[in-house]
Amino acid sequence: MPKINMPKKSPSLDMTPMVDLAFLLVTFFMLTTKFRPEEPVIVDTPSSISEIKLPERDIMLITIDKDGRVFFDVDGKQTRATLIEKMGEHYSVTFTPEEVKRFSVLSSFGVPMANMKQLLNAKEKERETINKETKGIPSDSLKNELADWINFGRHANPKFRIAIKGDGQANYPIVKEVIKTLQSQKVNKFNLITNLEEAPKKIGRAHV
């Protein structure tokens, strides 16, 4: 019986659904990705061999730059909105809904409460100038606004883990002052942010 020769056809694959899926994924990531605002101060943290990582949320961050200026930051839009409203009530400063909204998406800040409205209503370039010229959040014994930020921040989110990010060239008295402020708010457990350094290799003993 003669063999039946089947006509050879090149296989075809419709790529349209895959292209549609790719565009859907790209659109999804574009709409959901949130870019963190640029930090107003650059800090060169000291090195350590600790490999403990902080969680990505529920963090209260206190930054100390090389000039000893103190900056403050917390995450969560609603938490930040509640925080600035409580601070406004405490210092008799009224913030508009628009100013509260701007604060909720602001990066870390280092201005006294007397200059907060100026910072929130400034344009981007003006804000950069304010951040460069500021002396930081007052944290001395005479006027300790940092203590109030910590206090109201913890009330806004009791889950906050507190971390200090200090520059390696920062004066120790300033760091000690910040730690003392934390202790005054009954905070005795906090994290110090460092750069990861390779742990020294263990040298084995020679056996004879």
Side-chain angles (χ1 to χ4, degrees):
M1 185 174 178
K3 293 182 179 180
I4 300 175
N5 294 324
M6 299 296 293
K8 294 182 179 180
K9 295 182 179 179
S10 58
S12 61
L13 180 63
D14 188 4
M15 297 293 292
T16 304
M18 187 171 291
V19 173
D20 291 340
L21 178 61
F23 276 107
L24 284 173
L25 288 173
V26 170
T27 304
F28 171 78
F29 287 119
M30 288 177 63
L31 294 175
T32 57
T33 300
K34 296 180 181 179
F35 294 97
R36 186 174 180 81
E38 185 178 353
E39 293 296 325
V41 62
I42 298 175
V43 172
D44 184 14
T45 55
S47 300
S48 76
I49 59 174
S50 175
E51 296 183 357
I52 300 175
K53 293 184 179 180
L54 285 173
E56 295 183 357
R57 54 184 302 178
D58 296 330
I59 292 295
M60 177 184 292
L61 180 64
I62 301 171
T63 304
I64 307 170
D65 73 353
K66 63 180 180 179
D67 297 320
R69 301 183 304 167
V70 178
F71 289 75
F72 185 82
D73 190 20
V74 293
D75 57 10
K77 287 185 178 181
Q78 187 56 49
T79 300
R80 293 180 68 98
T82 302
L83 175 57
I84 191 62
E85 289 172 350
K86 292 295 183 182
M87 285 292 290
E89 292 174 6
H90 185 71
Y91 284 89
S92 301
V93 179
T94 302
F95 293 101
T96 65
E98 184 61 30
E99 289 170 341
V100 172
K101 183 178 179 181
R102 289 174 186 169
F103 181 83
S104 68
V105 296
L106 195 68
S107 60
S108 61
F109 56 91
V111 297
M113 277 296 294
N115 302 109
M116 182 58 72
K117 288 181 73 72
Q118 179 189 5
L119 179 70
L120 295 176
N121 292 304
K123 295 181 180 178
E124 186 176 353
K125 290 295 182 182
E126 296 172 344
R127 194 172 295 165
E128 290 177 2
T129 302
I130 294 173
N131 287 326
K132 288 180 180 178
E133 296 177 351
T134 183
K135 294 182 179 180
I137 298 175
S139 59
D140 53 38
S141 57
L142 296 177
K143 189 178 182 182
N144 198 331
E145 293 185 7
L146 177 63
D148 294 323
W149 283 111
I150 295 170
N151 179 36
F152 288 114
R154 295 177 71 199
H155 279 87
N157 184 356
K159 296 181 181 179
F160 271 142
R161 291 184 62 177
I162 300 176
I164 299 176
K165 185 179 180 181
D167 193 285
Q169 299 181 17
N171 293 329
Y172 178 72
I174 301 296
V175 180
K176 185 178 179 180
E177 196 174 74
V178 170
I179 294 176
K180 186 178 179 181
T181 298
L182 288 172
Q183 292 175 333
S184 72
Q185 298 301 308
K186 302 187 184 303
V187 178
N188 296 305
K189 185 178 180 181
F190 49 86
N191 298 87
L192 296 174
I193 298 179
T194 57
N195 289 325
L196 181 62
E197 181 180 293
E198 186 178 356
K201 297 181 179 179
K202 295 181 179 180
I203 301 176
R205 294 182 178 178
H207 296 276
V208 180

